[in-house]
Amino acid sequence: MVRLSTIALGLLYGLSNTLGVVADTTTFTDPVIDGAIAVGFPSVNITAILTEAENELGVNGTITNNLPDESYGTPGTTVTARDLEKLQELRKRTSLRGICGAVACLSLKILFPSKTATAGTSNYAAWNNPSFWSATTYMTPTCVFRPTSVEDISLAMRLITFTQTDFNVVGGGHSAIKGWANTEDGVLIILSGLKGVNINVRGWAEVSVGERWGDVFTALDERKLMALGGRMSTVGVPGLVLGGGISYLTNQLGFVADQVKNFEVVLANGWVVNANKDANQDLFQALKGGSSNFGIVSRIDLYTWPCPKGVYSGQLYFSDTKDYPKMFDLVYKYHTVGALSDTSSHLISAFVYVTLPGMSTGMHMGAFTAFRNISASETNPGPGSALQEIVDLNPTTKASSTLKVRPYGQTAIELGAGDVTGLRQDMRDFSVYADAQLYKDIFQIWNTTMIPKHGSKTGFMGTIAFQPITTNAVAAGVARGGNSLGLESNSGTMAIINLTHQWALAGDDASILLTLDDIVLRAIALAKARNLYHPYFYLNYAHKLNNPIGSYGTASVNRLKKASKLYDPCGVFQCRVPGGFKIPGMSSC
Ligand SMILES: Cc1cc2nc3c(=O)[nH]c(=O)nc-3n(C[C@H](O)[C@H](O)[C@H](O)COP(=O)(O)OP(=O)(O)OC[C@H]3O[C@@H](n4cnc5c(N)ncnc54)[C@H](O)[C@@H]3O)c2cc1C
Ligand SMILES: *[C@@H]1O[C@H](CO)[C@@H](O)[C@H](O)[C@H]1NC(C)=O
Ligand SMILES: *[C@@H]1O[C@H](CO)[C@@H](O)[C@H](O)[C@H]1NC(C)=O
Ligand SMILES: *[C@@H]1O[C@H](CO)[C@@H](O)[C@H](O)[C@H]1NC(C)=O
Ligand SMILES: *[C@@H]1O[C@H](CO)[C@@H](O)[C@H](O)[C@H]1NC(C)=O
Ligand SMILES: *[C@@H]1O[C@H](CO)[C@@H](O)[C@H](O)[C@H]1NC(C)=O
């Protein structure tokens, strides 16, 4: 076991940690990481577990049909792969990732029999695919691991890092990119068992990462509180926050990540650390936009605000397409005037094409969500000056609007009720500076390309939405110590334009995605030609080729690289997590 221990020590930055020897019960401190805690596992002998797993697999003995023949000599060849070096050699020679995943999965199964599931079992079926929003993201990891505590994650991370297995982590599963929160070989860590919203009366809520926004808001509503979060109840907490996060309160308080008080994070070596304005500040800033590059976030503490009078909010539907030019003018006016004059307001302006049940052809529809926090002195709450014109635009709108006074969280719950899982989905985005004519023209690129080609495909629904990021929202982030998004130099309101499409048949994937590529290329070219292009790609809607972290700019990328080297010196999150948006320019794996 000497070699095992030596390698383990290397993984643990040369500190006298004990992975591969015996579980530690000690608390360690690290000269560069604030308040690091090594969670103890007194009853766990990791060496023994790895040995048991390897024996069961026959890694030190006769390799049977666990390995494909051609990649590993003749079947039945005896190998000695007792230790990590051998495992790595094996890996290089065979490009066989599965072997590491198998060792990690068996070890997890020995340690956590009720929380680990391998293919073919009922827990695997119950936990794996149902964790994902879009059917395009289904995969078959070697095993799924469903922790219920931060200690579980910590121990699993040690095993995963030690065995150098591929892994990934899924929160609410609302990323639409295949492999971003999943892995084909190796371990999928499913966070849905980490539940709890713990409200601290001193002004924050401690939210476990298995939560979805609906339950977070319901818990806050019970106390007449509000916090920044997703705008649909069904979306997961962790992915949204780590990518930035746009909330109903963003005009006033910035991105959701800007209003995080503390992240609790499990690092690659299993250490559990806190990141906040006083401790591990560089990790804190990195996590505000840096996505899955630094560790597994296990708890997020969000600042809360009182919400004594509720909010005025709801959805508005515009079905008369002759109003569209006027709608775009008012959206632009809201982006550049209303959102700044009434920062307590919010508007989602989505333009949808959908075939409703019973209709033979599809229809265009404006689906807007209007929102306002009600101020303490208000006696007769309404949309307020910033949103009034939009609400007044079309009389049919009023008849079909759901605008009313309600508790804060009810807005997200109303929107979330329409969210469906298991369809085929695509999301992508790009950014421009606010401009009414550009909005109209980009809409028409979409309308005249996407709709005639694909509007009648089975289960088709297409949406193009325009979301303002005001200079005030950016300043609110700076005031909280800064994030990683790199938007500080914005010279005016920018708009994130996002396209969300869903359809039913896998056979339609290729042609719809090709059309989307074409639309976005043309829209970006148009924005560039008018000097209205903004290079930012909002990570949470970005296409996998768009390199959102690269779009944060050199200064931010350099900070992120530095944080990665400090908190994940072996590059586990860069190299062993096959999907997700990476920090560009890190050494290749
Ligand atoms: C219907 C719908 C509505 C949406 N509404 C909004 C909105 O209002 N505002 C907004 O900003 N965005 C919104 N989004 C986008 C949303 O922010 C992203 O889809 C986000 O990825 C969702 O987070 P999740 O936890 O559900 O995602 P997941 O798919 O589980 O994770 C996304 C990424 O984060 C990583 N990750 C997840 N958990 C952790 C963790 N604990 N530690 C480290 N890495 C982790 C995953 O590995 C993956 O790479 C919406 C998306 C959809 C589909
Ligand atoms: C841990 O397991 C290894 C391998 O089985 C064994 O050699 C070692 O003595 C064990 N350590 C303890 C403290 O039990
Ligand atoms: C593998 O090693 C263990 C102990 O190191 C030993 O007990 C076992 O017999 C070995 N298996 C084979 C097939 O050689
Ligand atoms: C929302 O309005 C209430 C007053 O009704 C106020 O106390 C609270 O701070 C406001 N929320 C935010 C985020 O400003
Ligand atoms: C969409 O484009 C068609 C032409 O292809 C046009 O007739 C229609 O008016 C457009 N719809 C809207 C809402 O602008
Ligand atoms: C993206 O579009 C959807 C509608 O499909 C909307 O709910 C969401 O808020 C939009 N997000 C952004 C950032 O524009």
Side-chain angles (χ1 to χ4, degrees):
M1 285 302 103
V2 175
R3 287 168 80 189
L4 276 180
S5 316
T6 315
I7 294 156
L9 290 183
L11 288 171
L12 295 164
Y13 326 157
L15 292 166
S16 59
N17 210 325
T18 53
L19 182 65
V21 184
V22 193
D24 51 83
T25 48
T26 333
T27 298
F28 290 93
T29 51
D30 181 297
V32 288
I33 296 175
D34 297 325
I37 311 156
V39 181
F41 304 100
S43 59
V44 179
N45 181 339
I46 291 177
T47 305
I49 283 160
L50 285 169
T51 306
E52 197 181 327
E54 288 173 9
N55 285 346
E56 208 170 310
L57 273 175
V59 174
N60 69 326
T62 303
I63 299 291
T64 54
N65 46 8
N66 283 317
L67 298 171
D69 305 342
E70 75 282 3
S71 57
Y72 204 70
T74 349
T77 309
T78 298
V79 290
T80 45
R82 281 287 317 117
D83 60 43
L84 195 57
E85 280 171 356
K86 282 280 161 55
L87 216 56
Q88 263 182 298
E89 264 173 42
L90 197 76
R91 189 189 190 107
K92 273 187 206 135
R93 280 196 284 130
T94 62
S95 73
L96 183 76
R97 306 184 134 192
I99 187 76
C100 302
V103 173
C105 283
L106 264 172
S107 305
L108 286 168
K109 221 171 162 181
I110 293 162
L111 273 171
F112 303 103
S114 66
K115 300 177 189 180
T116 309
T118 43
T121 63
S122 58
N123 276 347
Y124 187 91
W127 295 340
N128 186 21
N129 286 354
S131 297
F132 296 92
W133 176 64
S134 171
T136 56
T137 61
Y138 295 165
M139 294 171 96
T140 50
T142 311
C143 65
V144 294
F145 172 59
R146 191 168 175 274
T148 55
S149 69
V150 64
E151 289 80 8
D152 290 355
I153 302 177
S154 169
L155 187 43
M157 270 319 297
R158 290 177 194 215
L159 282 167
I160 285 168
T161 296
F162 184 70
T163 52
Q164 303 208 337
T165 189
D166 284 356
F167 71 103
N168 213 335
V169 52
V170 59
H174 270 62
S175 164
I177 306 175
K178 184 172 188 173
W180 253 226
N182 206 343
T183 179
E184 194 57 50
D185 293 314
V187 183
L188 172 64
I189 302 174
I190 296 175
L191 297 174
S192 59
L194 281 114
K195 292 288 191 201
V197 181
N198 199 354
I199 294 170
N200 188 306
V201 290
R202 287 184 292 161
W204 67 87
E206 298 168 0
V207 182
S208 286
V209 287
E211 292 290 349
R212 313 253 175 155
W213 291 106
D215 289 340
V216 176
F217 295 149
T218 299
L220 290 167
D221 281 348
E222 280 166 15
R223 309 275 194 103
K224 291 194 185 304
L225 292 170
M226 66 201 324
L228 278 75
R231 292 163 302 183
M232 283 172 90
S233 55
T234 45
V235 178
V237 168
L240 183 138
V241 176
L242 295 170
I246 297 170
S247 152
Y248 293 111
L249 300 169
T250 286
N251 289 334
Q252 183 186 346
L253 295 165
F255 286 83
V256 180
D258 292 323
Q259 299 302 334
V260 170
K261 182 176 185 294
N262 179 61
F263 291 100
E264 180 190 78
V265 193
V266 182
L267 301 180
N269 65 2
W271 286 17
V272 182
V273 304
N274 284 301
N276 52 57
K277 71 172 173 44
D278 303 313
N280 299 315
Q281 201 271 331
D282 38 9
L283 180 60
F284 184 49
Q285 182 167 13
L287 291 169
K288 300 191 219 177
S291 197
S292 61
N293 282 294
F294 302 95
I296 299 186
V297 172
S298 49
R299 200 189 78 211
I300 301 177
D301 302 347
L302 294 164
Y303 285 112
T304 59
W305 282 266
C307 187
K309 310 192 85 176
V311 299
Y312 184 82
S313 69
Q315 300 181 75
L316 307 163
Y317 296 103
F318 302 83
S319 51
D320 194 342
T321 51
K322 76 174 176 341
D323 287 336
Y324 267 46
K326 181 80 181 153
M327 280 154 66
F328 282 111
D329 289 337
L330 290 179
V331 165
Y332 167 73
K333 190 172 167 194
Y334 177 76
H335 286 184
T336 49
V337 182
L340 288 155
S341 64
D342 180 0
T343 58
S344 76
S345 70
H346 187 74
L347 178 71
I348 302 175
S349 49
F351 297 83
V352 185
Y353 185 87
V354 63
T355 307
L356 294 172
M359 288 173 58
S360 57
T361 67
M363 67 180 285
H364 281 284
M365 187 172 69
F368 288 18
T369 305
F371 172 97
R372 253 190 90 235
N373 184 25
I374 300 171
S375 74
S377 59
E378 229 168 312
T379 48
N380 190 16
S385 58
L387 295 167
Q388 189 69 56
E389 273 182 295
I390 287 172
V391 173
D392 287 344
L393 182 64
N394 179 342
T396 62
T397 292
K398 286 182 195 149
S400 61
S401 109
T402 65
L403 277 172
K404 63 178 179 195
V405 175
R406 55 176 113 199
Y408 173 68
Q410 288 300 314
T411 319
I413 289 167
E414 181 182 314
L415 262 67
D419 192 21
V420 182
T421 60
L423 290 166
R424 307 193 75 77
Q425 305 273 1
D426 180 85
M427 299 194 290
R428 55 184 82 196
D429 69 0
F430 60 98
S431 303
V432 301
Y433 278 102
D435 185 87
Q437 191 58 46
L438 185 66
Y439 295 174
K440 291 175 192 172
D441 295 341
I442 287 174
F443 171 80
Q444 287 308 342
I445 290 177
W446 175 76
N447 171 43
T448 57
T449 312
M450 180 57 71
I451 306 313
K453 274 197 177 132
H454 304 294
S456 56
K457 295 263 157 78
T458 310
F460 179 89
M461 181 163 90
T463 302
I464 181 164
F466 299 78
Q467 169 70 52
I469 302 296
T470 64
T471 49
N472 188 62
V474 175
V478 174
R480 279 288 195 203
N483 54 41
S484 292
L485 307 175
L487 295 173
E488 297 86 347
S489 59
N490 274 2
S491 54
T493 301
M494 62 179 278
I496 296 167
I497 300 180
N498 78 333
L499 299 101
T500 310
H501 288 76
Q502 66 184 43
W503 61 97
L505 306 177
D508 290 331
D509 289 8
S511 64
I512 292 176
L513 297 178
L514 212 62
T515 304
L516 278 164
D517 293 346
D518 171 53
I519 289 171
V520 171
L521 275 180
R522 282 158 60 201
I524 288 177
L526 186 67
K528 281 184 174 162
R530 294 185 192 171
N531 266 326
L532 291 166
Y533 181 64
H534 191 298
Y536 178 68
F537 286 100
Y538 178 49
L539 185 144
N540 282 337
Y541 290 98
H543 184 269
K544 69 174 173 189
L545 298 177
N546 281 149
N547 186 14
I549 293 183
S551 84
Y552 297 172
T554 316
S556 178
V557 168
N558 286 341
R559 278 198 307 269
L560 292 169
K561 281 185 185 166
K562 217 175 136 195
S564 166
K565 284 181 189 141
L566 193 59
Y567 293 94
D568 180 18
C570 298
V572 172
F573 281 87
Q574 298 309 300
C575 299
R576 293 275 72 86
V577 177
F581 291 113
K582 304 295 180 203
I583 306 167
M586 294 293 289
S587 57
S588 62
C589 302

